[in-house]
Amino acid sequence: MTEIVVLAYSGGLDTSVAIKWLHEKYHVDVIAVTIDVGNEKDFSAVRQKALKVGAIKALVIDGKELFVKYFLFPALQANALYEGQYPLATALSRPLMVKLIVDAAVAEGARAIAHGCTGKGNDQVRFEVGINALAPDMKIIAPAREWGMTREETIAYAQKHGIPIPVTKKSPYSVDENLWGKSAECGVLEDPWVEPPADVYTWTKSPAEAPDEPQYLEIGFEKGVPVTLDGDVLDGIALIQKLNETAGRHGIGRIDHIENRVVGIKSREIYEAPAATVLIQAHQALEAMTLSKDQLRFKQKVSVECADLIYNGLWFSQLNRDLSAYIISSQRYVTGTVRVKLFKGTCNVVGRKSPWSLYNLGLATYDKGDKFNQKAAEGFIHLWGLPVKTQAQVQLLGDKEGPLSIMGPADTGEDR
Ligand code: ARG
């Protein structure tokens, strides 16, 4: 009996060529598995294409609900941004794809899984670390890493084997999309000095062409998860789609990032993530109101760890579980409503309210009704500054050999 290989199939050129190539090189039958993570593709066409190219079976699995529930909203609760910029759309989708593809491979009796990633990116790492974690006996084949064909050669291979190549003028960029955002690389973007041409952007209007009137939105959160838009209860998928469309229309969510890949390369990526940008901002504003100073500071550190772990392909590690437990616990009181103003490429939080708010008007106000005891500040400052005062008397004012200036070291320009 011919061996079966399950291929993570996107419908693009590389994975289509991989179907034929796997058959020729390894004499295996290919089952194409495509995961719908909300990139609005014509999935029945993708399925038909896999079959036409020679897959013995083609499955499309709707992963949108799982994606939102187990990946996107937890990442939002963590405010996960890789290197402070990238909301991790692609990185978050890979472990879900791994899980669903491993399940399909086991169900189909396959002993190998193939993916279309090259040897230079993060996605190969995420796929393979994930597969090794969930199915240690599964063989992994990476055709695009093995075949060593240039893009022209891949196209020639496709033509020779009657694999359809999109007739429309192919986008000069390498693109990946899902509910949480879009990424673009390659072409002129590889020169970090070149401003991204207008045609890179397909999700967002140019801020200059965005509406001249601002738009206000109210986002309701429950325990750190967005549940309403302008008072309407929406499921996660609909809420994210609506926000992508609305904020995208106002030119929000463009990100130009020189990022550090797992494999040691710096790369220039253009992201569009309108919903993620607005939601993370709004979520942070609600946290600012409902978490203590100490919780906020600690959570920022956890957030960086979460983002790195997701980016680095370590989703299935126990550290992820540990950090998630902390994140979920931290969201107990992150319930309330945030009002944002969308205008010409910017999103600003202009209002927030919560039944669990720690903002106390009686303490904050400078008007009548002030409940803050200003007298108590005197004793507080005395004790707070006591260590500094004690130290300064001995080591700052008392040290005759010490620096002449008590202002600390300064750049005088003499060394330049
Ligand atoms: N640089 C981003 C990441 O590593 C986006 C990668 C996009 N992947 C792709 N196959 N085009 O997550």
Side-chain angles (χ1 to χ4, degrees):
M1 211 182 87
T2 317
E3 281 269 2
I4 289 170
V5 170
V6 161
L7 168 70
Y9 184 67
S10 70
L13 179 66
D14 282 346
T15 49
S16 298
V17 165
I19 294 177
K20 261 273 148 22
W21 185 89
L22 281 164
H23 191 68
E24 281 200 329
K25 168 109 200 238
Y26 291 106
H27 312 290
V28 291
D29 282 338
V30 175
I31 295 181
V33 178
T34 305
I35 312 298
D36 173 4
V37 278
N39 29 344
E40 288 178 52
K41 272 192 193 164
D42 178 353
F43 286 102
S44 91
V46 171
R47 221 188 130 255
Q48 287 312 318
K49 184 170 177 187
L51 294 171
K52 182 165 180 284
V53 174
I56 58 161
K57 195 167 172 179
L59 307 170
V60 174
I61 302 170
D62 183 353
K64 292 196 291 293
E65 253 183 71
L66 294 172
F67 192 38
V68 171
K69 182 168 175 198
Y70 291 102
F71 295 87
L72 302 187
F73 283 172
L76 169 61
Q77 290 176 310
N79 302 316
L81 290 172
Y82 182 61
E83 296 180 334
Q85 294 200 66
Y86 164 40
L88 294 158
T90 300
L92 285 161
S93 73
R94 297 320 189 203
L96 172 63
M97 291 180 174
V98 165
K99 167 74 178 127
L100 296 175
I101 288 168
V102 163
D103 286 353
V106 171
E108 298 290 342
R111 290 201 300 203
I113 292 176
H115 63 72
C117 309
T118 70
K120 293 183 72 167
N122 299 313
D123 289 327
Q124 55 171 347
V125 179
R126 297 168 185 147
F127 272 117
E128 295 184 28
V129 171
I131 294 167
N132 286 330
L134 299 188
D137 297 327
M138 199 62 79
K139 255 195 71 185
I140 298 171
I141 312 175
R145 204 167 55 197
E146 258 183 61
W147 67 40
M149 290 191 274
T150 63
R151 182 139 194 102
E152 275 64 48
E153 287 162 353
T154 315
I155 291 171
Y157 184 100
Q159 278 163 342
K160 188 172 139 214
H161 291 88
I163 297 167
I165 300 159
V167 278
T168 52
K169 193 172 141 273
K170 186 85 182 100
S171 156
Y173 313 110
S174 161
V175 168
D176 188 57
E177 296 175 277
N178 66 47
L179 276 173
W180 209 229
K182 177 196 148 184
S183 68
E185 306 156 64
C186 302
V188 292
L189 302 176
E190 287 180 355
D191 181 347
W193 183 247
V194 169
E195 179 177 355
D199 69 349
V200 176
Y201 299 107
T202 54
W203 283 33
T204 54
K205 264 236 156 72
S206 150
E209 286 159 23
D212 291 324
E213 289 297 310
Q215 181 172 351
Y216 291 87
L217 279 181
E218 289 187 9
I219 307 170
F221 288 87
E222 235 165 67
K223 296 188 176 173
V225 168
V227 288
T228 61
L229 256 193
D230 286 337
D232 298 333
V233 177
L234 292 179
D235 69 70
I237 301 170
L239 186 139
I240 293 170
Q241 284 170 335
K242 182 100 198 276
L243 265 181
N244 272 331
E245 189 191 297
T246 309
R249 188 151 33 81
H250 286 276
I252 290 155
R254 296 182 169 191
I255 301 157
D256 182 339
H257 186 189
I258 300 287
E259 81 188 23
N260 290 289
R261 286 193 189 164
V262 186
V263 293
I265 303 171
K266 280 194 194 291
S267 70
R268 201 269 189 101
E269 313 267 334
I270 301 300
Y271 296 110
E272 288 174 278
T277 300
V278 172
L279 285 172
I280 290 173
Q281 223 181 313
H283 177 252
Q284 282 174 327
L286 193 56
E287 285 190 330
M289 187 169 233
T290 53
L291 299 184
S292 72
K293 174 177 170 173
D294 295 329
Q295 284 177 302
L296 284 167
R297 197 183 49 236
F298 186 74
K299 191 163 177 287
Q300 277 184 8
K301 299 182 199 173
V302 178
S303 170
V304 171
E305 292 301 323
C306 288
D308 278 5
L309 176 155
I310 293 164
Y311 187 86
N312 294 337
L314 305 177
W315 182 267
F316 295 106
S317 66
Q318 291 301 313
L319 176 60
N320 188 24
R321 231 171 125 175
D322 298 339
L323 296 178
S324 303
Y326 175 76
I327 295 291
I328 288 177
S329 170
S330 75
Q331 302 297 293
R332 287 190 302 284
Y333 301 116
V334 186
T335 292
T337 306
V338 177
R339 182 153 23 91
V340 295
K341 181 179 182 176
L342 313 179
F343 185 55
K344 296 229 175 259
T346 61
C347 167
N348 284 304
V349 172
V350 294
R352 63 293 263 168
K353 60 182 179 184
S354 164
W356 304 108
S357 172
L358 301 176
Y359 180 88
N360 185 316
L361 185 61
L363 292 177
T365 186
Y366 285 96
D367 290 341
K368 64 175 180 305
D370 183 1
K371 297 205 178 61
F372 186 86
N373 178 4
Q374 300 201 27
K375 290 236 166 357
E378 203 181 309
F380 165 75
I381 295 165
H382 177 69
L383 294 185
W384 177 250
L386 193 55
V388 179
K389 183 177 169 188
T390 309
Q391 186 172 39
Q393 278 169 8
V394 181
Q395 298 173 356
L396 194 64
L397 305 175
D399 180 3
K400 297 285 171 278
E401 317 276 82
L404 289 174
S405 164
I406 57 164
M407 305 300 284
D411 177 2
T412 58
E414 281 160 21
D415 297 337
R416 271 182 273 144

